[in-house]
Amino acid sequence: MRVALCDDHQMMIEGQRHVLEAMGHDVVVTAGNGRDLLRQVQNGAVVDLAIVDISMPVLNGMDTVSQLVALSPKTKCIVMSMYEDPARITEALLSGAKGYLSKATDPQGFSEAVRMVACGQSYISPGLSYDVVRYGGKHLIGERVMSAREREVLQLIAEGCGDKEVAQELGITPRTVRFHRDVLRRDFGCPTTADLVKLAIRHGLTEC
């Protein structure tokens, strides 16, 4: 298979590359964040399997997977995560991932996950459990549905980007960024940017 590795830690990429190449797969794309991965696929990179870290700068793993699946429906995705709570596993699967793998997994478990997902099966690391909460694929924080664009804006704000930087990264206007910021502040009771940062961290959009 042609594999993409997306992680902001180079050591993780190199470790995964070693296992994959020993299995006979080709690592054709490496990326340090989700936006970079999507750009490479948009520019013509053909990927059969993407292994994506859940927590990355610029664009987190959940949104990366959902956008990648929309962009390249034949690409299968495995999410790698240090988080083991059922809510994140559920969200990863609803985002389009076929596998959810703990970062504590050994090379044998990693290889097994790759083989199963490559064969069209799903894989969740042994010991992890989840309850699929069906909400139509929407992203929920409390009772509020958050759009994909709101999640992108919130993550970039939390990572210290100003309105112009967010606008440039997402291809929207600063006015639109300010609109999303104001709506998020109002709906989630976050009067300051610091409160928005705490919201993003609490719900796994960034580790900043």
Side-chain angles (χ1 to χ4, degrees), residues 12-166:
M12 286 296 299
I13 286 180
E14 293 306 321
Q16 292 169 10
R17 184 201 298 271
H18 177 76
V19 175
L20 289 162
E21 290 180 346
M23 296 174 69
H25 302 303
D26 294 323
V27 176
V28 296
V29 171
T30 60
N33 63 70
R35 190 76 61 199
D36 185 19
L37 171 60
L38 294 172
R39 285 175 181 146
Q40 292 189 60
V41 173
Q42 288 171 332
N43 288 335
V46 178
V47 175
D48 302 309
L49 173 68
I51 301 173
V52 180
D53 183 21
I54 198 171
S55 298
M56 297 181 293
V58 184
L59 186 66
N60 63 83
M62 299 297 194
D63 291 328
T64 298
V65 167
S66 62
Q67 293 185 37
L68 179 58
V69 169
L71 179 65
S72 178
K74 293 184 179 180
T75 301
K76 299 178 176 68
C77 299
I78 295 174
V79 169
M80 296 285 296
S81 177
M82 59 184 284
Y83 303 108
E84 300 184 356
D85 56 291
R88 292 184 196 266
I89 300 173
T90 297
E91 187 174 6
L93 298 178
L94 291 173
S95 294
K98 298 300 182 184
Y100 192 98
L101 202 56
S102 168
K103 282 197 168 184
T105 301
D106 60 22
Q108 183 177 354
F110 179 82
S111 299
E112 181 183 2
V114 169
R115 282 193 292 269
M116 290 184 64
V117 171
C119 292
Q121 302 178 59
S122 297
Y123 184 92
I124 297 174
S125 290
L128 303 187
S129 62
Y130 72 100
D131 297 310
V132 176
V133 180
R134 298 197 176 279
Y135 46 83
K138 300 286 180 78
H139 301 286
L140 293 184
I141 292 182
E143 296 301 318
R144 162 68 151 81
V145 178
M146 182 178 289
S147 70
R149 178 63 81 200
E150 287 176 329
R151 287 166 61 89
E152 290 177 322
V153 169
L154 178 58
Q155 177 173 355
L156 291 170
I157 289 172
E159 291 173 356
C161 295
D163 292 347
K164 290 183 179 179
E165 293 173 292
V166 175

